[in-house]
């Protein structure tokens, strides 16, 4: 007898920077969630859909949970992370192979409250010099709570990622697909374009700028086989402008070139990108502006 078709929701949770977005991109084989070495890269809940002949798995990427949220943005991000746990078929808690932390405990206690199975993914095993070090970590993890399964993997190299997929599959209900078979995410092209700009801002600035960066799309139009996009990089302070623009506009130019390259890959066509840098004090505390920048919507 052949296996029935399965379809369901899987939320991936974990402390900031542990590799959740990298894993989602790997699982759906497309870059739908931006990643960087900075902790607050993912701000919205977003889904990645993987459909094949056996199943449709809907992965939910979440912002990492912030303990002691400092402003409206962080509170909105926490709400998105918590909300994405409700009603799912399976939760994957992600930790890093470098060791269990107090922040991992905090996320685990939230995840454990859900009535569905909880799996543990131990990420970044490519960084381990000695694989034997995994055993004590797996032991330590299984003492903390009863995980349905523990899967060591590397989201970056792809090692063991198909094992995670096979594990997750077992916990999904037999039902017809919920999304069109070719749909990969729930976000539109404008959102993706804004995210790709924000990713390049994060990547090019490293530690020089705090998290006070948001990107809004002013226009997005298809002209024949091209897309013309205008985007604004919003900052909190006038003094941050120079950092983003760089000497002679050099840095902004580099941000634009890299973002455009990523957009051309994603949209599979030529892109004309115009970038502006503007200041609006306190945007991370303004509900209204956060809404227009797509934060906190469901
Ligand atoms: P998130 O905040 O949990 O979504 O984490 P990201 O997916 O944005 O990843 C944070 C950083 O960890 C990025 O610099 C990734 O390239 C890196 N990273 C993610 N997965 C792995 C992995 O398996 N191995 C290594 N070495 N780095 C990884
Ligand atoms: Mg992320």
């Amino acid at each position: 007898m052949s296996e029935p078709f399965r379809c369901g929701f899987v939320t991936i949770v974990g402390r900031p920077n542990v590799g959740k977005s990298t894993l989602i991109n790997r699982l759906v084989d497309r870059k739908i969630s931006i990643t960087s070495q900075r902790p607050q890269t993912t701000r919205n809940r977003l889904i990645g859909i993987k459909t094949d002949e056996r199943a449709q798995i809907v992965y939910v990427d979440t912002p990492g949970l912030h303990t002691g949220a400092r402003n409206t943005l962080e509170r909105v991000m926490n709400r998105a992370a918590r909300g994405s746990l409700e009603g799912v078929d399976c939760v994957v808690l992600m930790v890093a192979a470098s060791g269990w932390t107090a922040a991992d405990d905090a996320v685990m206690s939230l995840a454990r409250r859900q009535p569905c199975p909880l799996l543990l993914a131990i990420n970044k095993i490519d960084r381990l010099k000695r694989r034997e070090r995994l055993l004590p970590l797996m032991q330590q993890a299984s003492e903390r709570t009863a995980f349905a399964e523990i899967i060591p993997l590397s989201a970056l190299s792809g090692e063991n990622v198909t094992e995670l997929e096979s594990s997750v599959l077992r916990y999904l209900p037999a039902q017809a697909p919920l999304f069109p078979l070719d749909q990969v995410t729930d976000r539109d092209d404008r959102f993706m374009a804004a995210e790709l700009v924000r990713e390049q801002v994060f990547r090019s600035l490293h530690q020089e700028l705090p998290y006070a960066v948001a990107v809004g799309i002013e226009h997005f139009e298809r002209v024949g086989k091209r897309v013309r996009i205008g985007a604004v990089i919003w900052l909190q302070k006038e003094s941050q402008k120079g950092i983003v623009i760089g000497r002679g506009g050099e840095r902004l130019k580099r941000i634009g070139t890299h973002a455009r390259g990523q957009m051309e890959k994603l949209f599979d066509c030529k892109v004309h990108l115009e970038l502006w840098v503007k200041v609006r004090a306190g945007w991370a505390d303004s509900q209204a502006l956060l809404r227009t920048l797509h934060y906190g919507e469901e």
Side-chain angles (χ1 to χ4, degrees), residues 124-259:
K124 308 196 186 185
I125 58 167
D126 57 293
R127 285 218 189 128
L128 279 183
K129 288 208 181 68
R130 299 197 352 258
R131 287 288 161 101
E132 312 87 89
R133 304 232 338 242
L134 265 177
L135 286 171
L137 186 59
M138 290 169 81
Q139 178 68 32
Q140 197 189 358
S142 58
E143 282 161 12
R144 280 189 148 70
T145 197
F147 291 105
E149 299 188 33
I150 298 180
I151 304 125
L153 55 85
S154 168
L156 198 65
S157 77
E159 187 180 354
N160 254 0
V161 168
T162 48
E163 279 70 11
L164 173 76
E165 197 180 44
S166 312
S167 300
V168 158
L169 203 62
R170 289 198 272 277
Y171 301 101
L172 305 186
Q175 64 173 333
L178 296 165
F179 291 90
L181 302 184
D182 58 355
Q183 191 172 336
V184 185
T185 183
D186 59 342
R187 295 291 173 169
D188 63 12
D189 291 349
R190 287 176 83 99
F191 175 85
M192 289 296 176
E195 288 289 275
L196 290 173
V197 173
R198 203 163 58 82
E199 178 176 58
Q200 291 308 325
V201 175
F202 270 21
R203 289 189 174 192
S204 71
L205 292 172
H206 307 290
Q207 302 308 321
E208 297 155 74
L209 196 69
Y211 309 104
V213 178
V215 176
I217 298 296
E218 298 282 290
H219 65 261
F220 190 111
E221 51 197 342
R222 288 187 188 275
V223 191
K225 282 192 177 147
R226 282 170 169 263
V227 182
R228 295 176 67 90
I229 300 169
V232 175
I233 299 171
W234 288 100
L235 302 171
Q236 300 239 40
K237 292 189 200 133
E238 203 60 43
S239 60
Q240 296 166 338
K241 251 180 154 170
I243 304 175
V244 174
I245 293 169
R247 200 183 300 150
E250 199 184 299
R251 190 175 254 157
L252 186 63
K253 204 170 151 197
R254 201 167 55 233
I255 290 169
T257 308
H258 287 139

Side-chain angles (χ1 to χ4, degrees), residues 66-123:
H66 299 275
T67 35
R70 286 164 304 176
N71 57 26
T72 310
L73 175 64
E74 291 189 354
R75 279 192 292 278
V76 167
M77 286 163 70
N78 278 352
R79 212 180 309 137
R82 290 206 193 92
S84 59
L85 281 167
E86 277 154 30
V88 297
D89 301 294
C90 159
V91 174
V92 175
L93 170 66
M94 184 180 257
V95 297
S98 51
W100 195 282
T101 69
D104 295 327
D105 271 327
V107 184
M108 185 185 74
S109 56
L110 252 179
R112 211 166 40 181
R113 282 189 223 152
Q114 306 309 311
C116 61
L118 178 62
L119 276 64
L120 180 71
I122 302 179
N123 191 29

Side-chain angles (χ1 to χ4, degrees), residues 21 33-34 42 61-62:
S21 299
S33 191
I34 64 167
T42 307
D61 190 8
T62 56

